[in-house]
Amino acid sequence: MLGYFGPAGTFTHQAILGLRGDPRWGALVDDSRPYASVAAALEAVRSGAAEAVMVPIENSVEGGVTATLDNLGDPEAAPLQILAETVVKVTFDLAVRPGTQLGDVKTIITHPHAAAQTRAWLETTLPGATVTERGSTAGAAEAVADPSSPFDAAICAPAATNLYGLTPVAHDIADNDDAVTRFVLVGRRGPCPAPTGHDKTTFVAYMRANHSGALLEILQQLAVRGVNLCRIESRPTKTTLGSYCFSIDAEGHVDDARMSESLMGLKRICQDVVFLGSYPRADEVAPHLPPGADDAAYRAAADWLKSLRK
Amino acid sequence: MLGYFGPAGTFTHQAILGLRGDPRWGALVDDSRPYASVAAALEAVRSGAAEAVMVPIENSVEGGVTATLDNLGDPEAAPLQILAETVVKVTFDLAVRPGTQLGDVKTIITHPHAAAQTRAWLETTLPGATVTERGSTAGAAEAVADPSSPFDAAICAPAATNLYGLTPVAHDIADNDDAVTRFVLVGRRGPCPAPTGHDKTTFVAYMRANHSGALLEILQQLAVRGVNLCRIESRPTKTTLGSYCFSIDAEGHVDDARMSESLMGLKRICQDVVFLGSYPRADEVAPHLPPGADDAAYRAAADWLKSLRK
Amino acid sequence: MLGYFGPAGTFTHQAILGLRGDPRWGALVDDSRPYASVAAALEAVRSGAAEAVMVPIENSVEGGVTATLDNLGDPEAAPLQILAETVVKVTFDLAVRPGTQLGDVKTIITHPHAAAQTRAWLETTLPGATVTERGSTAGAAEAVADPSSPFDAAICAPAATNLYGLTPVAHDIADNDDAVTRFVLVGRRGPCPAPTGHDKTTFVAYMRANHSGALLEILQQLAVRGVNLCRIESRPTKTTLGSYCFSIDAEGHVDDARMSESLMGLKRICQDVVFLGSYPRADEVAPHLPPGADDAAYRAAADWLKSLRK
Amino acid sequence: MLGYFGPAGTFTHQAILGLRGDPRWGALVDDSRPYASVAAALEAVRSGAAEAVMVPIENSVEGGVTATLDNLGDPEAAPLQILAETVVKVTFDLAVRPGTQLGDVKTIITHPHAAAQTRAWLETTLPGATVTERGSTAGAAEAVADPSSPFDAAICAPAATNLYGLTPVAHDIADNDDAVTRFVLVGRRGPCPAPTGHDKTTFVAYMRANHSGALLEILQQLAVRGVNLCRIESRPTKTTLGSYCFSIDAEGHVDDARMSESLMGLKRICQDVVFLGSYPRADEVAPHLPPGADDAAYRAAADWLKSLRK
């Protein structure tokens, strides 16, 4: 069974529905089950209740989803693994009960992130409206669908507008037209999907205590082997202020020689490294490798070394 | 006038009250005014309504406060400056109306971060209680103070317990005893406080587009001049996924030669650098400088160069 | 008065004659005086006997000229400065007394470097000939010019063939057609020639004792400021085995901001830096600067920093 | 058969005699044969005429022995390998025919390096004496031994004083008391001596053309893997001026994981790497390794990576 951080009608739901055509997961999509929190969804995987779950990991406006990053990166928890990623365009409706006009909207309910991403539009279009926050945009839509609701409108995904029988009085109201959210399908630790030539590897590197140059050293381990970064995010290790770990997406697959050697290099110099999987990039962009960084160069160098020892 | 991200009774309120003994700000503390959001507080400084405001910037468990980081780092907004920092220990009460017993608590209200930080305690002590989220822990306390409230208890700062006449049925219920939050007092751009020998400088570095090695180069500009990092956090630039800036605290004062030269070096190689001030460290820890990094070494090198040109 | 590492008829002599058209030095060339060693020539500058002297510094086949490198780089000696550089193509004659035929040549005299650079030609063309070594190729030509000489031929520069009235029975006999030697005109410490946009700066960096990463740090001081290397050569500091200094040519002029800041950076982290001048490159190739490395970028960054402090 | 760069009575001869107690080479020492040049000695190994030869590689005052460095590093020649190193203190006699007094010495003969290393002593003790140069200090001693010699004294090794029946009128006349020369025993490519925990690896790295940052990249390949340098020397590649290769001694054995991975890394990013062997350090100093650089750390990281892929 698959799961997702629900409720139905959110962008996360939309992300898992996007797997319908996937040869491995497509057949399971329609049975997928919503979980009330990212933690609950990931726990369902750890317990075996779900085979894999879809959770948000990063938004182009808000940044990293800390609930996801911290849970996946926890070195004490049972290890999980990212199996796939998908990127969904963030687009919001202003959704009302049938009959309400745009000009009538005085009270709005939505998730804080959605409120933040539509603030300028609201100030221009509905300057007097009050905004109340709710835990999800789909929950906001559900609330508005209740005829006795004190709220005139929800800011929500089009999927939620449909799901709860609402009417969109405005489409695409996000201030930033290009906002996207990246979601990851997370399962238990196991073999990675085969390399495709356009893969990404995710891991969390924990610095040794009180080592001010550690981040520079982490980056150098990757750079000398020709591995580029896609994303790096510091997260507190939840002990003292000033103690961080780094959540990193890097270009390449653990089966690529440059990546496996980099991971081993990090493992040696870091206090700990939590590996979170290698999987195809959603944008299918292949890395631009510096000279000597591909598998053929690694093999040639290994052959050369062997020839010296004969 | 001073301000803070309110309402009264929060840790931010407690942080600003901590300035009472401060020679520059102490006299203004009792008149300080709460603002409903970090953005509103910072806007009050920009508009001149407040001289300076206290806002949270980092929590040892939750990480960076993105509302603060993104607002301060915005290169399009009128520039602000951090004037001082203070660190407050996070300690939560379970606060009830007088007469309620711990065993009676079935419904709890609090801020999501407070809920997250007391989750284990709640699961052990009050396994059946439901938790509802509110925008601030002080707002939660205020809600419980209402005799008709549907909530039996609030998880809040001791300041809020007192402010709203509640009774703490449990103290110090955070799962992590060492959690602290760091707050900054923010004013308009102007001269920095004089160097103390234990200062911190905060800035945001924007990478040039599509430059995978940029973070390494940023760190090297600091490292070659003997400047250590205290904190580094990536934030999306809110354009496309994968475009980041880096919010950085570094050891030293802009009047220290190593720091001014580093900032100019970053300005040259980055798309933009937003300077956010130099100010004394709350922990008063002086940096451990490598050889050749202090002002005397910089002066000696400048004298040497001048002597060559005679 | 000018001087050069003689005797007359060597490539060094040819190098100083090449200054004839030079606006500053041309008038002095014809009076220039040979010195018997590099050390004697440089000492003549230190003592004031010569205003400047021409000495070899580097050969494309043999490498650095250690007598020159070590004398210029000596931190205990009175400082000298490179005023100009010139590159001379190395081309050898096999020079005989008039009447001698190529087939008659059995005994040859020359400088060890010239012998090394013509070895393959000699083995092919005159396999039975014996080669005797002399301190200079011009001295070898002089020896052959003596009718009672035991030597049939000298390997020498065309200038020496002419000077001593010899006949070249073979031209251009160097095994490597592209061999060149680089010479520098050395004077006392003083103002450098004005920047031309295609300058070189020469200096010697002494590492602090027992510091294995020092060379990496030296290179990083240059790299972060956009300064490229033209030449780097380690030289023993003449104390214990394993103690080195580095003789470096770098692209740019001490009046270029990136170079002056680099030199000061090196002065801070090194035990000592001996500055040996900025002067135009013989090949007039302008550096390829990375973004942010030109003087305009340095000025803009300094203005920005000043604006922050207002 | 063993060989050495002769003639008998030089420091190189002394270096090979120092192998007498060596379990592998001792029995062969007394039959060892002198060769007239470094090139001839190394060629004897390549042709199979000698099993191994002793040649000088580095002097603490003069620097690298370029004839040795360039011959060993030549990527076109049949590969050789350093089997052992030995360090010999440089100590010079002023050697005369029996009966000559120190005050009688007017004409001296010696090798140019010996002349350079005793210059101050000669200027003080025998200010009027003339010095003539000869190809080796032992050859100088041989010349003085001839009763009809025009030379009163030789500056030579004590071994040559004895060998030619001369009398030392002064001992230890080098200006620098600490001067030493390092010699290497060179054989054909084959298995390296087993690791001892205090080994050195020698190789030559050829940069790709026109790549100004190449040296920095070479050093970083070693630094990220915890390999320290003992010696680095640039040598021209004998093509154009400004094209260099780097002759490097690094701490560790090719069988140490950090060294083999470094060599493969260099092979990938360089145009070529010429491996010249791993062998015990003469000083038996073990490297000071950074955390994560020993074989146990490499094995642990490899085991970790394997565990991820199960």
Side-chain angles (χ1 to χ4, degrees):
Chain A
M1 199 205 63
L2 297 183
Y4 63 98
F5 170 38
T10 58
F11 291 110
T12 317
H13 189 201
Q14 193 174 327
I16 200 164
L17 296 181
L19 290 180
R20 265 178 185 144
D22 185 279
R24 174 150 180 216
W25 304 107
L28 300 171
V29 164
D30 287 331
D31 273 342
S32 59
R33 183 190 143 179
Y35 289 91
S37 65
V38 166
L42 296 175
E43 196 45 45
V45 176
R46 286 197 179 92
S47 70
E51 190 172 350
V53 298
M54 186 70 79
V55 291
I57 193 166
E58 184 185 12
N59 177 277
S60 64
V61 175
E62 302 296 325
V65 178
T66 59
T68 302
L69 293 173
D70 290 359
N71 190 308
L72 290 180
D74 184 354
E76 308 294 323
L80 296 175
Q81 195 162 318
I82 298 175
L83 307 174
E85 71 168 14
T86 182
V87 173
V88 173
K89 189 171 174 348
V90 173
T91 173
F92 292 113
D93 282 350
L94 186 73
V96 298
R97 287 177 296 278
T100 307
Q101 301 300 315
L102 176 59
D104 300 339
V105 173
K106 299 279 181 292
T107 54
I108 299 172
I109 186 165
T110 193
H111 184 270
H113 282 186
Q117 292 180 42
T118 56
R119 186 179 299 130
W121 186 88
L122 287 174
E123 281 175 10
T124 305
T125 316
L126 295 168
T130 63
V131 177
T132 298
E133 297 184 349
R134 174 63 55 106
S136 77
T137 53
E142 187 182 17
V144 170
D146 177 351
S148 67
S149 168
F151 303 109
D152 300 326
I155 298 171
C156 62
T161 308
N162 295 339
L163 189 67
Y164 293 105
L166 300 181
T167 299
V169 285
H171 280 300
D172 261 341
I173 66 172
D175 300 332
N176 183 328
D177 260 1
D178 301 324
V180 296
T181 297
R182 184 179 152 230
F183 297 88
V184 286
L185 185 71
V186 177
R188 284 177 292 279
R189 175 70 58 77
C192 295
T196 62
H198 48 80
D199 303 290
K200 207 182 257 184
T201 295
T202 298
F203 56 89
V204 184
Y206 286 81
M207 298 161 51
R208 289 188 207 275
N210 296 322
H211 180 10
S212 71
L215 177 56
L216 193 57
E217 291 176 11
I218 288 171
L219 298 182
Q220 283 167 334
Q221 289 286 339
L222 298 163
V224 298
R225 296 175 175 103
V227 173
N228 297 323
L229 297 191
C230 308
R231 179 186 63 85
I232 180 164
E233 217 158 325
S234 63
R235 291 296 305 152
T237 57
K238 308 197 186 311
T239 55
T240 56
L241 207 63
S243 168
Y244 301 101
C245 60
F246 294 93
S247 173
I248 292 173
D249 291 346
E251 287 182 358
H253 192 284
V254 66
D255 290 350
D256 294 335
R258 69 184 183 284
M259 181 63 79
S260 61
E261 202 183 284
S262 294
L263 288 169
M264 289 187 288
L266 291 170
K267 182 72 178 173
R268 289 192 302 267
I269 67 161
C270 290
Q271 188 184 286
D272 203 358
V273 176
V274 175
F275 175 75
L276 290 171
S278 294
Y279 48 92
R281 291 175 66 137
D283 59 13
E284 301 194 357
V285 171
H288 181 73
L289 294 184
D294 62 9
D295 276 10
Y298 274 78
R299 270 194 307 271
D303 289 346
W304 167 77
L305 192 74
K306 204 176 297 172
S307 77
L308 299 178
R309 288 162 148 170
K310 276 190 317 215
Chain B
M1 200 203 65
L2 296 183
Y4 63 98
F5 170 39
T10 59
F11 290 111
T12 317
H13 190 201
Q14 193 174 327
I16 200 164
L17 296 180
L19 289 181
R20 265 181 185 140
D22 185 279
R24 174 152 180 215
W25 303 108
L28 300 173
V29 164
D30 287 332
D31 273 344
S32 60
R33 185 190 141 179
Y35 288 90
S37 66
V38 167
L42 296 175
E43 195 46 43
V45 176
R46 286 197 179 93
S47 71
E51 191 171 350
V53 297
M54 186 70 81
V55 292
I57 193 167
E58 185 184 13
N59 179 276
S60 64
V61 176
E62 301 296 325
V65 178
T66 59
T68 301
L69 293 173
D70 290 359
N71 190 309
L72 291 179
D74 183 354
E76 309 294 324
L80 296 175
Q81 196 163 316
I82 298 174
L83 307 173
E85 71 167 16
T86 183
V87 173
V88 174
K89 187 170 176 348
V90 172
T91 171
F92 292 112
D93 283 351
L94 186 73
V96 299
R97 286 177 299 276
T100 308
Q101 302 301 314
L102 177 58
D104 300 338
V105 173
K106 300 278 182 293
T107 56
I108 299 172
I109 185 167
T110 193
H111 183 271
H113 283 185
Q117 293 180 41
T118 56
R119 185 178 301 132
W121 185 89
L122 288 174
E123 281 175 10
T124 306
T125 317
L126 296 168
T130 63
V131 178
T132 299
E133 297 184 350
R134 172 64 54 107
S136 77
T137 53
E142 187 182 17
V144 171
D146 176 352
S148 67
S149 169
F151 303 110
D152 300 325
I155 298 170
C156 61
T161 308
N162 295 339
L163 188 70
Y164 293 104
L166 300 181
T167 298
V169 284
H171 281 298
D172 262 341
I173 66 172
D175 300 331
N176 183 329
D177 260 359
D178 301 324
V180 296
T181 297
R182 185 180 152 229
F183 297 88
V184 287
L185 185 70
V186 177
R188 282 177 294 279
R189 175 71 56 78
C192 295
T196 61
H198 49 80
D199 303 291
K200 205 183 259 186
T201 295
T202 299
F203 56 89
V204 184
Y206 286 79
M207 298 161 53
R208 290 188 207 274
N210 296 323
H211 180 13
S212 72
L215 177 56
L216 193 57
E217 291 178 11
I218 288 171
L219 298 181
Q220 283 167 333
Q221 289 287 337
L222 298 162
V224 297
R225 296 174 176 103
V227 173
N228 297 324
L229 297 190
C230 308
R231 177 187 63 84
I232 180 164
E233 214 157 326
S234 63
R235 292 295 304 151
T237 57
K238 307 195 187 314
T239 54
T240 55
L241 207 65
S243 167
Y244 301 101
C245 59
F246 293 93
S247 173
I248 292 173
D249 292 345
E251 286 183 357
H253 193 284
V254 65
D255 290 349
D256 294 335
R258 70 185 183 283
M259 182 62 79
S260 61
E261 201 181 285
S262 293
L263 288 169
M264 290 187 287
L266 291 171
K267 182 70 177 173
R268 288 193 301 269
I269 66 160
C270 290
Q271 188 183 288
D272 203 359
V273 177
V274 175
F275 175 75
L276 289 171
S278 293
Y279 49 91
R281 290 174 65 135
D283 60 13
E284 302 195 355
V285 172
H288 181 72
L289 295 183
D294 63 8
D295 277 9
Y298 273 78
R299 272 194 306 272
D303 290 346
W304 168 77
L305 191 74
K306 205 177 295 172
S307 77
L308 298 179
R309 288 162 148 171
K310 275 188 321 210
Chain C
M1 203 204 61
L2 297 183
Y4 63 98
F5 169 38
T10 58
F11 290 111
T12 318
H13 190 201
Q14 192 175 328
I16 199 164
L17 295 181
L19 289 180
R20 267 181 183 142
D22 186 279
R24 174 150 180 215
W25 304 106
L28 301 172
V29 164
D30 287 332
D31 274 343
S32 59
R33 186 190 141 178
Y35 289 91
S37 66
V38 167
L42 296 175
E43 195 47 43
V45 176
R46 286 197 179 93
S47 71
E51 192 172 347
V53 297
M54 185 70 79
V55 291
I57 193 165
E58 183 184 12
N59 177 277
S60 64
V61 175
E62 301 296 325
V65 177
T66 59
T68 302
L69 294 173
D70 289 0
N71 190 309
L72 291 179
D74 184 353
E76 308 294 323
L80 295 175
Q81 195 163 317
I82 298 174
L83 307 174
E85 72 168 13
T86 182
V87 172
V88 174
K89 189 172 174 348
V90 173
T91 172
F92 293 112
D93 283 350
L94 186 74
V96 298
R97 286 178 299 280
T100 307
Q101 302 301 314
L102 177 58
D104 300 338
V105 173
K106 300 277 181 292
T107 55
I108 299 172
I109 185 165
T110 194
H111 183 270
H113 283 186
Q117 294 180 40
T118 56
R119 186 178 299 132
W121 186 88
L122 288 174
E123 282 175 9
T124 306
T125 317
L126 296 169
T130 63
V131 178
T132 299
E133 296 185 350
R134 173 62 53 105
S136 76
T137 53
E142 187 182 16
V144 171
D146 177 351
S148 67
S149 169
F151 302 109
D152 301 325
I155 297 169
C156 61
T161 308
N162 294 339
L163 189 67
Y164 293 104
L166 300 181
T167 299
V169 285
H171 282 297
D172 262 341
I173 66 172
D175 300 332
N176 182 329
D177 261 359
D178 301 324
V180 295
T181 298
R182 185 180 152 229
F183 297 88
V184 287
L185 185 71
V186 176
R188 283 178 291 281
R189 174 71 56 79
C192 295
T196 61
H198 48 81
D199 303 291
K200 205 183 257 186
T201 295
T202 299
F203 57 89
V204 184
Y206 286 80
M207 298 161 51
R208 290 188 208 275
N210 297 322
H211 180 11
S212 72
L215 177 57
L216 193 57
E217 291 177 12
I218 287 171
L219 298 182
Q220 283 167 335
Q221 288 287 337
L222 297 163
V224 298
R225 295 173 176 104
V227 173
N228 296 324
L229 296 191
C230 307
R231 180 187 62 86
I232 180 164
E233 217 158 324
S234 62
R235 291 296 304 151
T237 57
K238 309 198 185 310
T239 55
T240 56
L241 208 65
S243 168
Y244 301 101
C245 60
F246 293 94
S247 173
I248 293 173
D249 292 343
E251 288 183 354
H253 192 284
V254 65
D255 290 349
D256 295 335
R258 70 184 183 284
M259 181 63 78
S260 61
E261 201 182 285
S262 294
L263 287 169
M264 290 187 288
L266 291 170
K267 181 72 177 170
R268 289 193 301 268
I269 66 160
C270 290
Q271 187 184 288
D272 202 359
V273 176
V274 174
F275 175 74
L276 289 171
S278 294
Y279 48 92
R281 292 174 65 135
D283 60 11
E284 302 195 355
V285 172
H288 181 72
L289 295 183
D294 62 9
D295 277 9
Y298 273 78
R299 272 194 306 273
D303 290 346
W304 168 76
L305 191 75
K306 203 177 297 171
S307 77
L308 298 178
R309 287 162 148 172
K310 276 187 321 210
Chain D
M1 202 203 61
L2 296 183
Y4 63 99
F5 170 38
T10 58
F11 290 111
T12 317
H13 190 199
Q14 193 175 326
I16 199 164
L17 295 181
L19 290 180
R20 267 180 184 142
D22 186 279
R24 175 152 178 211
W25 303 107
L28 300 173
V29 164
D30 287 330
D31 274 341
S32 59
R33 186 192 141 177
Y35 288 91
S37 66
V38 167
L42 297 175
E43 195 46 43
V45 176
R46 286 197 180 94
S47 72
E51 191 171 349
V53 297
M54 186 70 79
V55 291
I57 193 166
E58 184 184 13
N59 177 277
S60 65
V61 175
E62 302 295 324
V65 177
T66 59
T68 302
L69 294 173
D70 290 359
N71 190 309
L72 290 179
D74 183 354
E76 308 295 323
L80 296 175
Q81 195 163 316
I82 298 174
L83 306 173
E85 72 169 13
T86 181
V87 173
V88 173
K89 188 171 175 347
V90 173
T91 173
F92 293 112
D93 283 350
L94 186 73
V96 298
R97 287 178 295 279
T100 306
Q101 302 301 314
L102 176 59
D104 301 336
V105 173
K106 299 281 181 289
T107 54
I108 299 172
I109 186 166
T110 192
H111 183 270
H113 282 185
Q117 293 180 41
T118 56
R119 187 179 299 132
W121 184 90
L122 288 174
E123 281 175 9
T124 305
T125 315
L126 295 168
T130 62
V131 177
T132 298
E133 297 183 349
R134 174 63 54 108
S136 77
T137 54
E142 187 182 16
V144 171
D146 177 351
S148 67
S149 170
F151 302 110
D152 301 326
I155 299 170
C156 61
T161 307
N162 296 338
L163 188 66
Y164 293 104
L166 300 181
T167 299
V169 285
H171 280 300
D172 260 342
I173 66 173
D175 300 332
N176 183 329
D177 261 2
D178 301 325
V180 295
T181 296
R182 185 180 152 231
F183 297 89
V184 287
L185 185 71
V186 177
R188 282 177 293 280
R189 175 71 57 77
C192 295
T196 62
H198 49 80
D199 303 290
K200 205 183 260 186
T201 295
T202 299
F203 56 89
V204 184
Y206 286 80
M207 299 160 51
R208 288 187 208 275
N210 296 321
H211 180 12
S212 72
L215 177 56
L216 192 57
E217 291 176 11
I218 287 171
L219 298 181
Q220 284 167 335
Q221 290 286 339
L222 297 162
V224 298
R225 296 175 176 103
V227 174
N228 296 324
L229 296 192
C230 309
R231 178 187 63 85
I232 180 165
E233 215 158 326
S234 62
R235 291 296 304 151
T237 56
K238 307 197 189 310
T239 55
T240 56
L241 207 65
S243 169
Y244 301 101
C245 60
F246 294 93
S247 172
I248 292 173
D249 291 346
E251 287 183 356
H253 192 285
V254 64
D255 290 349
D256 294 336
R258 69 183 184 286
M259 182 63 79
S260 61
E261 201 182 286
S262 294
L263 288 169
M264 290 188 287
L266 291 170
K267 181 72 177 172
R268 290 192 301 268
I269 67 160
C270 291
Q271 188 185 285
D272 203 359
V273 176
V274 175
F275 175 75
L276 289 171
S278 295
Y279 49 92
R281 291 175 66 135
D283 60 12
E284 301 194 356
V285 172
H288 181 73
L289 295 184
D294 62 8
D295 276 9
Y298 273 78
R299 273 193 305 271
D303 289 346
W304 168 76
L305 191 73
K306 205 176 296 173
S307 78
L308 298 178
R309 286 161 148 171
K310 277 187 319 211

